[in-house]
């Protein structure tokens, strides 16, 4: 059912582009003969309909490969196209999907998104929470032999790492894909662009209050391998006392949002569940990015907008003051970077959350 709905969604976009006279994003899928000025209008309509039918055929083949993870040659019996055509359809379908829908479904949270995430985080016991952070490995079956050592990690097989941030309804806000499987989560975090906007002072404000203290940076829930930064909140290993035990249980429960998002992503798009069979890293990047875009489309379509948890106030429009002096701007960047990696602020935030959770929720659950 999902395949039919999404195929129809892309065909509508294709028809809009076609009738507006602009170039179709899927014009590679079929070629139509040029019509002379003296041809009848019904011939032009038939050619147009035939072109759209062929495009639907190629889109269906690409969707079946992404959703079911079947080989390209397996589409021949059902779609009646050869293997090379199916492979090329997948590549260009993914590239067109990213170009058309990437800005919307791969965007960073704007001011209203931040306000909604902060509201929901507070309802779940974590004021200031923007999501959960973790990494996933995708096995690369056809990794070139020369790169096998670099991409082989703890699993003993070549893999490529995906870093992602997911929120309560499993919408994926941040992705960073492409590092070799020999890296760990700390290496991936240091090379990703997760905090680029925050360090450059262009991210929307995330203001909240815990225990009477005001904060201006949101945070993500993460597991124990990540560093002790002011923007990451981790669980407590071997917690002592009821307060810390309660905090550890709540943190580990909410942190599973990103794990659930990975599981849902793989269950919807079987191509990333099994080993990757393409040779190029760029093709693998496009495939995974397309699956994440389609995943967010499904989340948006199935999200219950009537749930009370989605109520939030409108955020003010962010006004960014441009600093002309490059030296001042660089110093502000360094100060912000040090603020993000402040270890003492990490422990202060965690202690504040421990006291907040105990005061707000322990009496109702114990």
């Amino acid at each position: 059912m999902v395949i039919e709905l999404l195929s129809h969604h892309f065909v509508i976009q294709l028809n809009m582009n076609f009738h507006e006279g602009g170039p179709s994003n899927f014009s590679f899928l079929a070629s139509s003969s040029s019509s002379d000025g003296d041809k009848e209008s019904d011939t032009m309509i038939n050619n147009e309909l035939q072109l759209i039918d062929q495009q639907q055929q190629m889109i269906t083949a690409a969707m079946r490969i992404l959703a079911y993870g079947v080989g390209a040659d397996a589409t021949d019996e059902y779609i009646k196209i050869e293997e090379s055509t199916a492979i090329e359809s997948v590549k260009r379908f993914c590239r067109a999907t990213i170009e058309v829908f990437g800005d919307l479904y791969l965007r960073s949270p704007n001011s209203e998104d931040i306000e909604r995430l902060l509201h929901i985080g507070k309802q779940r016991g974590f004021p200031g929470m923007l999501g959960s952070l973790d990494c996933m490995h995708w096995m690369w079956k056809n990794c070139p032999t020369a790169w096998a050592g670099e991409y082989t990690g703890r699993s003993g097989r070549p893999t490529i790492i995906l870093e992602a941030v997911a929120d309560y309804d499993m919408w994926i806000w941040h992705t960073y894909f492409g590092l070799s499987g020999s890296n760990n989560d700390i290496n991936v975090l240091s090379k990703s662009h997760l905090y680029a906007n925050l360090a450059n002072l262009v991210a929307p404000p995330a203001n909240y209050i815990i225990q009477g203290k005001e904060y201006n940076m949101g945070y993500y829930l993460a597991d124990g391998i990540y560093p002790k930064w002011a923007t990451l909140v981790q669980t407590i290993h071997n917690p002592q006392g009821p307060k810390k035990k309660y905090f550890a249980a709540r943190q580990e429960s909410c942190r599973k949002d990103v794990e659930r998002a990975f599981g849902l992503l793989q269950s919807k798009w079987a191509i990333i569940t099994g080993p990757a069979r393409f040779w190029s890293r760029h093709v693998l990047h496009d495939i995974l990015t397309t699956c994440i875009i389609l995943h967010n489309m499904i989340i948006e379509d199935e999200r219950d907008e009537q749930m009370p948890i989605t109520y939030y106030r409108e955020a003010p429009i962010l006004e960014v003051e441009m600093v002309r002096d490059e030296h001042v701007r660089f110093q502000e960047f360094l100060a912000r970077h040090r603020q993000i990696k402040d270890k003492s602020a990490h422990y202060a935030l965690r202690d504040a959350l421990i006291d907040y959770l105990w005061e707000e929720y322990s009496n109702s659950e114990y």
Side-chain angles (χ1 to χ4, degrees):
M1 185 63 180
V2 173
I3 294 178
E4 286 76 3
L5 290 175
L6 290 175
S7 297
H8 180 66
H9 181 71
F10 282 102
V11 170
I12 291 176
Q13 181 72 24
L14 169 66
N15 293 338
M16 291 175 60
N17 293 340
F18 188 89
H19 289 293
E20 288 174 359
S24 171
N25 290 292
F26 301 98
S27 58
F28 69 94
L29 294 174
S31 60
S32 61
S33 59
S34 61
S35 58
D36 298 330
D38 56 351
K39 286 190 175 181
E40 299 294 337
S41 60
D42 56 347
T43 304
M44 297 177 60
I45 294 176
N46 291 334
N47 290 339
E48 179 181 344
L49 294 176
Q50 183 179 6
L51 172 62
I52 294 176
D53 289 340
Q54 293 173 345
Q55 291 165 345
Q56 287 180 317
Q57 186 182 24
M58 302 301 180
I59 292 173
T60 304
M63 293 295 295
R64 286 181 63 87
I65 293 175
L66 294 177
Y68 300 142
V70 299
D73 56 348
T75 62
D76 176 59
E77 182 178 356
Y78 182 74
I79 309 296
K80 305 301 182 182
I81 59 176
E82 61 181 9
E83 179 181 2
S84 60
T85 305
I87 293 175
E88 190 65 20
S89 299
V90 171
K91 293 179 181 179
R92 304 212 181 186
F93 174 81
C94 293
R95 175 45 42 191
T97 302
I98 295 171
E99 292 178 357
V100 175
F101 300 101
D103 293 340
L104 176 60
Y105 291 98
L106 295 178
R107 71 182 188 275
S108 299
N110 54 32
S111 298
E112 293 187 359
D113 294 328
I114 292 292
E115 287 295 327
R116 178 170 55 85
L117 293 174
L118 291 178
H119 173 75
I120 295 168
K122 185 176 181 179
Q123 296 293 323
R124 303 177 71 190
F126 287 91
M129 181 182 68
L130 299 178
S132 303
L133 172 68
D134 205 357
C135 291
M136 180 188 79
H137 288 251
W138 186 14
M139 187 182 304
W140 192 3
K141 178 182 179 181
N142 288 336
C143 175
T145 304
W147 297 350
E150 177 185 357
Y151 281 83
T152 300
R154 59 187 179 185
S155 64
R157 298 180 180 180
T159 59
I160 305 181
I161 301 177
L162 166 68
E163 179 189 73
V165 170
D167 63 8
Y168 70 101
D169 62 356
M170 293 174 286
W171 179 287
I172 297 177
W173 288 106
H174 160 79
T175 60
Y176 181 72
F177 176 76
L179 287 187
S180 58
S182 58
N183 292 279
N184 57 25
D185 295 1
I186 302 176
N187 304 135
V188 178
L189 178 63
S190 64
K191 295 181 180 180
S192 72
H193 56 275
L194 176 60
Y195 296 113
N197 290 339
L198 184 61
N200 289 316
L201 303 176
V202 296
N207 301 314
Y208 56 97
I209 299 175
I210 303 178
Q211 299 291 101
K213 182 179 179 179
E214 296 184 359
Y215 296 84
N216 59 4
M217 290 193 307
Y219 58 85
Y220 303 101
L221 302 185
D223 55 20
I225 191 175
Y226 284 95
K228 310 297 182 183
W229 289 2
T231 52
L232 296 174
V233 173
Q234 300 149 329
T235 187
I236 301 175
H237 296 287
N238 298 322
Q240 303 297 321
K243 294 173 62 175
K244 293 184 177 180
K245 288 182 179 179
Y246 183 71
F247 167 80
R250 292 294 294 262
Q251 194 274 352
E252 293 168 6
S253 175
C254 292
R255 195 195 69 81
K256 288 183 172 62
D257 291 343
V258 66
E259 304 287 354
R260 293 166 50 230
F262 286 151
L264 181 62
L265 182 68
Q266 291 178 322
S267 66
K268 293 288 187 181
W269 310 104
I271 190 172
I272 59 177
T273 303
R277 295 188 292 268
F278 288 87
W279 296 89
S280 172
R281 290 177 297 180
H282 302 291
V283 175
L284 297 181
H285 176 273
D286 287 350
I287 290 175
L288 185 58
T289 304
T290 299
C291 291
I292 292 174
I293 292 175
L294 300 178
H295 166 85
N296 285 344
M297 284 184 180
I298 298 173
I299 295 298
E300 181 185 54
D301 181 69
E302 296 180 352
R303 181 184 293 158
D304 188 359
E305 299 293 348
Q306 304 302 321
M307 292 290 290
I309 198 172
T310 60
Y311 293 161
Y312 61 96
R313 65 182 185 276
E314 293 185 358
I317 299 176
L318 177 64
E319 297 182 359
V320 180
E321 182 180 356
M322 300 302 296
V323 180
R324 296 183 180 276
D325 191 344
E326 292 296 331
H327 177 72
V328 174
R329 186 176 180 180
F330 181 68
Q331 293 300 322
E332 291 181 351
F333 170 81
L334 293 180
R336 192 67 163 180
H337 203 264
R338 287 191 296 267
Q339 186 180 4
I340 292 173
K341 296 186 177 182
D342 191 348
K343 191 173 183 179
S344 60
H346 164 83
Y347 286 110
L349 175 61
R350 192 182 70 177
D351 293 341
L353 286 172
I354 292 174
D355 294 335
Y356 174 83
L357 280 170
W358 185 254
E359 294 176 3
E360 293 290 331
Y361 298 97
S362 61
N363 293 333
S364 62
E365 298 188 14
Y366 279 88

